[in-house]
Amino acid sequence: MKKIKWGIIGCGDVTERKSGPAFNKVEGSRLHMVMRRNFDLAKDYALRHNVAQWTNNAEDLINNPNVDAIYVATPPASHAEYAIKSMKAGKPVYVEKPMATTYQQCMDMVKISKETAVPLFVAYYRRTLPGFLKVKELLNEGAIGKVLYVNIRLTRPALVSEMENNASFWRINSDLAGGGIFYDLASHQLDFLDFLFGPIVKAQGISANRGGYYTVEDTVSASFKFENGILGNGIWSFVTNEDAEEDLIEMVGTNGKIMFSSFKHTPVQLFKDGKYMEFPYLNPENIQYNLIKQVVENIQGIGDCVSTGESAARTNKVMEEIIK
């Protein structure tokens, strides 16, 4: 079986622990080359992670004959450009989330994937984590009966870098991120709900900037409906007092409810028939490992991957409908 040699475009913070090392840990996979606009930083990353080659030119990586597949880990504004160039070069792409800054860019990426028959994957790794899969297992077992509705609450204080409107903090730059922090964090939640319940077919929302620290939205309220009839609503605010900090998804059914966190990874909670149960939350050392393993096996033709360009594009569409 051929070993997949990977190249990373944009070896920033997310690649240090969450993803980068996993490419060397997955069987049949190897991280061969990295690219960063700052050549010295690219070299530093390569030396620390035992990577053979480095560059500050994305074209050099994309066209390198020793690179079989490409991980795009830049801010979302350049995802479509690099992914499309990579697929046209015949190289499978694993792209960070959110998939792009706009739904149209996502569809352009999906179109090229279909035309070139080159696979496209997106880093919505919660679809493969044990805690989140436990939620799916409970739902499939009918633990709470027929699901009626879903509540999302994600609130926290502003970070220092956000309050200072740090220009290098791409998550509060709509040109780079597509929206504010909502696009970065809510995308994980909405994608996971898509994984559980199927597509959201109707979504609407109201967004505002209440903190005044930056120009994009910092507070969002939304309601949505899934194809199967389940209703949902959410509130996100990234400028609250610490006493109002909350990270919770609540699923209410005819026989009980499930509660779990999206980012704190606290135990999954089941409330049923007056009883309460907890299920521990266990993650791999590199949190994207399970999904990267699926990506590698799919490229090798021996398995499927649960997070594709088509599924990820739906999440961008929902976020766009909420923010507009």
Side-chain angles (χ1 to χ4, degrees):
M1 185 182 302
K2 180 183 178 182
K3 177 171 285 191
I4 307 300
K5 293 183 180 179
W6 285 89
I8 297 180
I9 298 178
C11 49
D13 290 345
V14 72
T15 70
E16 288 288 348
R17 181 176 174 86
K18 289 184 176 181
S19 57
F23 290 100
N24 286 329
K25 293 181 179 180
V26 170
E27 185 178 357
S29 173
R30 181 70 185 170
L31 180 54
H32 180 78
M33 188 176 187
V34 294
M35 172 270 171
R36 195 165 182 174
R37 287 178 297 176
N38 184 308
F39 183 83
D40 291 336
L41 291 178
K43 179 181 179 180
D44 174 71
Y45 185 96
L47 294 178
R48 286 186 294 106
H49 291 274
N50 193 27
V51 179
Q53 292 184 265
W54 59 89
T55 181
N56 61 353
N57 188 319
E59 300 287 342
D60 290 346
L61 185 147
I62 292 170
N63 296 313
N64 188 316
N66 293 317
V67 172
D68 303 311
I70 294 172
Y71 170 37
V72 179
T74 58
S78 54
H79 286 182
E81 174 191 355
Y82 290 137
I84 287 172
K85 286 181 178 179
S86 300
M87 288 185 287
K88 286 184 175 180
K91 300 183 179 182
V93 178
Y94 177 62
V95 63
E96 265 302 329
K97 43 59 55 188
M99 183 176 172
T101 57
T102 68
Y103 176 59
Q104 183 58 56
Q105 289 175 352
C106 296
M107 295 312 296
D108 292 342
M109 295 160 72
V110 170
K111 178 175 180 287
I112 295 300
S113 177
K114 290 180 177 178
E115 289 178 353
T116 60
V118 175
L120 173 63
F121 313 95
V122 181
Y124 283 121
Y125 51 84
R126 278 163 178 74
R127 290 174 174 239
T128 66
L129 293 179
F132 291 92
L133 291 177
K134 185 62 182 182
V135 173
K136 184 174 179 63
E137 177 186 322
L138 291 171
L139 293 173
N140 290 345
E141 292 173 351
I144 61 171
K146 181 179 180 180
V147 180
L148 303 173
Y149 63 88
V150 178
N151 289 320
I152 303 173
R153 297 195 295 278
L154 182 62
T155 56
R156 65 157 172 80
L159 305 179
V160 173
S161 56
E162 297 162 358
M163 291 188 286
E164 294 176 347
N165 198 10
N166 190 329
S168 65
F169 198 69
W170 61 265
R171 291 170 181 82
I172 56 174
N173 183 331
S174 62
D175 291 337
L176 295 178
I181 301 162
F182 172 80
Y183 260 58
D184 183 42
L185 300 184
S187 59
H188 272 301
Q189 298 170 309
L190 294 167
D191 174 82
F192 181 62
L193 294 180
D194 178 286
F195 178 57
L196 293 180
F197 303 126
I200 292 173
V201 294
K202 184 177 182 180
Q204 58 187 5
I206 301 173
S207 60
N209 183 294
R210 301 291 293 153
Y213 299 121
Y214 41 82
T215 58
V216 291
E217 77 286 338
D218 58 28
T219 303
V220 179
S221 176
S223 59
F224 43 92
K225 182 179 182 180
F226 294 88
E227 190 173 57
N228 62 8
I230 295 172
L231 301 181
N233 62 72
I235 185 72
W236 297 262
S237 184
F238 308 105
V239 292
T240 66
N241 181 273
E242 61 184 14
D243 291 328
E245 187 169 354
E246 196 168 15
D247 174 10
L248 179 68
I249 295 182
E250 177 187 47
M251 299 175 175
V252 177
T254 53
N255 295 333
K257 70 177 180 179
I258 297 170
M259 298 171 63
F260 59 99
S261 64
S262 300
F263 302 97
K264 294 184 181 299
H265 299 173
T266 52
V268 175
Q269 301 172 299
L270 172 64
F271 300 83
K272 182 179 181 181
D273 300 328
K275 298 179 181 179
Y276 169 77
M277 294 183 66
E278 276 191 359
F279 304 93
Y281 208 109
L282 305 173
N283 287 328
E285 180 181 8
N286 310 109
I287 204 163
Q288 294 194 29
Y289 174 90
N290 293 351
L291 183 57
I292 290 171
K293 182 175 185 290
Q294 286 192 4
V295 169
V296 169
E297 290 176 349
N298 185 272
I299 295 172
Q300 293 173 328
I302 59 174
D304 295 321
C305 180
V306 293
S307 183
T308 66
E310 289 187 346
S311 64
R314 295 197 295 265
T315 292
N316 263 78
K317 182 179 182 181
V318 170
M319 292 192 299
E320 212 162 270
E321 290 175 348
I322 289 171
I323 293 299
K324 76 180 180 182

